[in-house]
Amino acid sequence: MKLVTRGSLCRLAYPAFIGVALLGSAVAFTLLGPIVGIKSTYVFLGLLLSGGLFYTYHSTTVPTTLRPMQVSRTRVLGKSVFVLVLLAVTAVPAARAFGIETVVAQLAVLLFLVPAGYLALALQFRWEPPAGRTLAQILALFSVTPIVKYQSTGFYASSGDTPGHVYLIEQVVRNGTWQAIPTKSFYHYFPGLHTMLGSMSALTGLSPYDVYMLAGIATYCVVIAVAYLFARLLFDNRVLALCIALAMSLLLPIITHASYFYPQALAVAVALILLLLSYRGSADANNYWAYMVLAALLVGQLWVTHHLTVVLFVPVLVALIAGPRLVSRFGPDDATAVRPVSSPLVVWVAGSVAYWLGRDVFIAPFVGSVVDVLSGPLIATGSGDETAVVPVKTLGQSLPESTVGTALLSVFSPSGIYNLLLVCTVSFAAITVIYRLERYRRVIPFLVLGVGGSLLLLRTPLVINGLDRTHLPLSIFIAFLLGIALFRLLPNADATLSQLAPVLVVFLFLTTSATLVASPHVYELHSGPDLWEGRPLPEEQIDFSQQEMRSFEQSSAYLEERDAVVASDWRTQIGLERYGTDSKSMRVRDGQVTMEADLLMYRSRWPDHSLRLIPGGPPVPLITVVVDRAWLDRTVRTENKVYTTGEVGMLADRSGGDLRRSPG
């Protein structure tokens, strides 16, 4: 009787949630403006789609054995996945060999080959696919996006400090010790990633950049395998574990950090393995000490790899340790939840704090960063300069308007569709868990963390600087929710292909949008309005060509020879950092550039992309700049040009021009 009542409540939940979503959009429209209100409708659309799927597919069956014909079909589909992956990872090199634009090959991979591979994978889930071969297909399909990104960019800088980390790895390789990392660098005290990758570079003979990219791809394949092992430990259903691994491979933070492998990306991967060992130690008393010895080695690695990761994991660890006790105390009499061995987790946190205090690092900068974040705006309240969280300034052109039309288009951009489908699948999973609570009671802490993590991952008016740092540690818990949704939708043995078609369409849109959003280097795919931006601005540059990298190297030598200080935008700064040259941020005011440096460095690609400035200082440490081609040409022509490589140049201020040198 309770189950029937609970099912009825679950069916009634969707109308209530959809009503709340509509009310939320109306409130956002009224308080935050029509642009934010329209963008927020993706939540309503996601819930609407989720309700349709729940009422149609909430009851499915999964066979326990395969008939001979089904075995043959899964083998053919599995082989086709590997063929498609092979075509995808050879498309860019083949295009170069035949003189074809690489963007054509990338579009073919992202829009046709990868979706076809995921369709072949999804069809295998109609029956019970073999674990090893299916997991291999998941990892192969996941690897395509970062591999193609690696192949098609001269130097993939992503959204931050990749060139700086590659430079530090080079210093380790060149000098044979982590102590070669400059003492002024924070990573002198946290050299874990640079030491590991430097050692790999020295042993393999690969360049530090190549090792950086390949190690990231391999590490996050391991992370997906860890998600599978976690699910196998916590559930007795192999297909559900495969669905959770598949879900993990579709989460944007996981795909992104396979090629943006900075220290937090390594630390989170190690922390997840540590968590798995802690749960294995709790479940397998016979091998307890073996797991604890391995855990101790990982704890030592974590102490010197990344600092903020510890802070981000503290609430997660509290929930995982305290959650099972709360379930046992306040749940039904037979309610139990799995719990980890807490000692290695406590040692990790306590040892990290002791290290910070002993070396006098991290604590003071962390407190300062928190104060800066809290003193700045936390909610986007509009799109004008006076209300935007990241101000937009222009050099020689007017700003494009953020209109109702562009807001509507942004909801159906790749990022809009991805967020819409995350709302759909996560809400579907949450209702499924409530509907079948007795099946998922053991992992309630995981699922609660997944719900909370999905709220942080989804696009909302919250624009707290650094909020995206929380996404990666919470991804495995979001994957549990998303995996439960896939498990209820894909393995439908009784449905015909026509009956399953809506599910396959939703799945293909999810996989394709995830791949597209994780491929920002294909600028042609992101030229339209994006759910994540306040205005339809040019895309930020996230890669450097080989010519630009050579120009940075030459410019670095020029500046060192003349002992000159240069100012520029953030991307140029990190490009110079690749060769050990520090620089300052330029400033933009009233259509002019000011700088606290001898020279201004410009790049020929400035007008093609939005620039990011980080001049520092709360409450708004970030500034976006849009440069007009005519303005740049005129400035280069009228100012005192002292150096150029064609790709990169340097200017000194000249009286009456657009460039001003301010005292430092």
Side-chain angles (χ1 to χ4, degrees):
M1 185 67 182
K2 289 184 178 180
L3 183 60
V4 173
T5 302
R6 192 191 307 153
S8 301
L9 289 175
C10 289
R11 290 185 177 88
L12 293 173
Y14 274 108
F17 289 159
I18 290 170
V20 171
L22 279 174
L23 179 62
S25 294
V27 171
F29 192 96
T30 303
L31 298 181
L32 304 178
I35 303 302
V36 177
I38 290 171
K39 288 174 180 286
S40 68
T41 58
Y42 80 86
V43 178
F44 161 72
L45 296 173
L47 288 171
L48 198 64
L49 179 59
S50 178
L53 291 175
F54 183 81
Y55 296 139
T56 306
Y57 297 102
H58 75 277
S59 178
T60 60
T61 59
V62 183
T64 56
T65 58
L66 288 174
R67 294 191 294 271
M69 183 180 294
Q70 295 169 343
V71 172
S72 175
R73 288 175 181 174
T74 58
R75 286 177 178 171
V76 171
L77 289 169
K79 290 177 181 178
S80 68
V81 169
F82 289 117
V83 170
L84 289 166
V85 168
L86 180 62
L87 292 173
V89 298
T90 56
V92 171
R96 284 205 181 100
F98 289 99
I100 302 172
E101 289 285 342
T102 58
V103 68
V104 175
Q106 293 175 64
L107 292 174
V109 169
L110 299 176
L111 297 177
F112 298 103
L113 295 179
V114 171
Y118 275 112
L119 177 61
L121 175 64
L123 289 173
Q124 297 172 63
F125 276 91
R126 294 184 65 202
W127 309 290
E128 185 175 8
R133 190 164 68 235
T134 306
L135 184 60
Q137 293 172 53
I138 293 170
L139 296 179
L141 285 167
F142 164 80
S143 301
V144 169
T145 301
I147 287 175
V148 171
K149 194 182 300 182
Y150 169 55
Q151 292 172 332
S152 56
T153 54
F155 192 103
Y156 182 68
S158 188
S159 58
D161 46 4
T162 297
H165 288 301
V166 171
Y167 171 73
L168 297 180
I169 296 167
E170 281 186 341
Q171 301 311 301
V172 173
V173 174
R174 187 172 298 143
N175 295 277
T177 173
W178 65 266
Q179 292 180 331
I181 298 175
T183 54
K184 64 181 179 179
S185 167
F186 198 77
Y187 292 102
H188 180 79
Y189 302 98
F190 299 94
L193 177 134
H194 310 97
T195 303
M196 184 188 79
L197 298 189
S199 301
M200 292 172 62
S201 178
L203 289 172
T204 62
L206 295 172
S207 74
Y209 173 72
D210 292 332
V211 167
Y212 177 95
M213 294 295 287
L214 296 174
I217 297 169
T219 298
Y220 274 82
C221 284
V222 171
V223 166
I224 294 168
V226 166
Y228 172 78
L229 294 174
F230 247 126
R232 288 293 288 145
L233 178 66
L234 301 177
F235 299 108
D236 59 0
N237 191 300
R238 184 176 62 190
V239 177
L240 175 55
L242 288 171
C243 286
I244 289 173
L246 175 59
M248 190 73 164
S249 73
L250 297 177
L251 289 176
L252 190 58
I254 301 299
I255 308 174
T256 299
H257 287 87
S259 49
Y260 185 30
F261 195 52
Y262 65 117
Q264 181 182 338
L266 173 61
V268 169
V270 175
L272 292 179
I273 298 173
L274 176 64
L275 266 181
L276 177 62
L277 292 174
S278 298
Y279 276 91
R280 290 294 303 175
S282 177
D284 186 356
N286 293 331
N287 296 302
Y288 172 84
W289 286 110
Y291 292 125
M292 291 306 99
V293 169
L294 292 173
L297 296 175
L298 295 182
V299 167
Q301 170 76 8
L302 284 168
W303 283 341
V304 293
T305 297
H306 196 248
H307 41 288
L308 185 61
T309 301
V310 185
V311 178
L312 297 176
F313 263 97
V314 165
V316 172
L317 300 181
V318 170
L320 294 179
I321 294 172
R325 292 175 171 83
L326 294 175
V327 171
S328 299
R329 182 170 181 179
F330 298 106
D333 293 338
D334 60 343
T336 58
V338 291
R339 62 184 66 183
V341 177
S342 58
S343 53
L345 307 177
V346 172
V347 170
W348 172 32
V349 176
S352 297
V353 174
Y355 183 71
W356 301 338
L357 293 172
R359 302 300 298 268
D360 191 23
V361 294
F362 177 61
I363 294 178
F366 173 70
V367 172
S369 296
V370 171
V371 171
D372 288 350
V373 168
L374 295 179
S375 64
L378 304 179
I379 298 178
T381 56
S383 58
D385 289 340
E386 73 283 355
T387 56
V389 174
V390 179
V392 181
K393 298 182 180 296
T394 62
L395 292 172
Q397 68 181 55
S398 59
L399 283 174
E401 293 296 327
S402 187
T403 65
V404 169
T406 57
L408 284 170
L409 288 174
S410 73
V411 175
F412 300 100
S413 66
S415 63
I417 293 172
Y418 181 74
N419 279 267
L420 187 157
L421 293 176
L422 276 183
V423 170
C424 169
T425 49
V426 168
S427 60
F428 183 95
I431 297 297
T432 298
V433 168
I434 297 172
Y435 188 72
R436 302 174 181 272
L437 187 60
E438 60 283 343
R439 173 178 292 179
Y440 301 106
R441 189 175 289 155
R442 281 168 47 84
V443 293
I444 285 178
F446 271 66
L447 301 179
V448 171
L449 285 169
V451 172
S454 64
L455 295 177
L456 294 176
L457 180 61
L458 292 168
R459 176 61 171 167
T460 68
L462 282 177
V463 287
I464 301 172
N465 186 29
L467 185 65
D468 57 341
R469 291 275 191 168
T470 65
H471 297 168
L472 191 57
L474 293 170
S475 289
I476 191 170
F477 308 106
I478 303 171
F480 267 69
L481 275 176
L482 180 54
I484 289 171
L486 295 177
F487 177 66
R488 297 310 308 162
L489 293 171
L490 291 179
N492 196 333
D494 293 338
T496 64
L497 281 178
S498 60
Q499 291 171 329
L500 200 59
V503 169
L504 294 176
V505 169
V506 169
F507 177 73
L508 286 180
F509 269 97
L510 175 63
T511 56
T512 305
S513 61
T515 303
L516 296 182
V517 177
S519 303
H521 64 291
V522 188
Y523 301 112
E524 292 79 1
L525 287 172
H526 302 276
S527 57
D530 193 334
L531 185 67
W532 298 85
E533 61 186 355
R535 294 177 179 272
L537 300 175
E539 293 300 306
E540 289 188 30
Q541 183 180 344
I542 49 79
D543 75 306
F544 297 119
S545 66
Q546 294 180 350
Q547 293 87 346
E548 283 179 302
M549 293 309 297
R550 283 194 292 269
S551 295
F552 286 137
E553 184 176 18
Q554 296 164 2
S555 301
S556 176
Y558 175 88
L559 291 168
E560 182 178 355
E561 180 182 341
R562 285 155 181 77
D563 194 25
V565 179
V566 71
S568 194
D569 67 292
W570 168 239
R571 302 290 170 183
T572 305
Q573 287 182 274
I574 63 175
L576 285 172
E577 193 176 358
R578 163 74 175 81
Y579 300 100
T581 297
D582 293 329
S583 54
K584 294 180 177 292
S585 175
M586 70 183 194
R587 298 173 184 267
V588 174
R589 183 176 181 181
D590 299 328
Q592 294 182 328
V593 174
T594 63
M595 58 182 183
E596 297 176 358
D598 305 309
L599 302 169
L600 172 74
M601 178 175 283
Y602 66 90
R603 288 182 289 113
S604 62
R605 291 176 73 181
W606 267 9
D608 301 326
H609 301 279
S610 294
L611 307 185
R612 178 56 57 90
L613 306 186
I614 309 182
V620 184
L622 305 178
I623 297 173
T624 296
V625 177
V626 180
V627 180
D628 180 64
R629 174 70 65 182
W631 182 92
L632 180 61
D633 292 342
R634 188 188 72 247
T635 301
V636 171
R637 187 172 60 252
T638 58
E639 298 291 350
N640 184 16
K641 181 164 63 175
V642 300
Y643 181 86
T644 183
T645 66
E647 299 283 340
V648 166
M650 296 186 220
L651 304 174
D653 60 312
R654 174 173 287 171
S655 177
D658 291 325
L659 183 60
R660 296 283 184 270
R661 182 178 177 186
S662 57

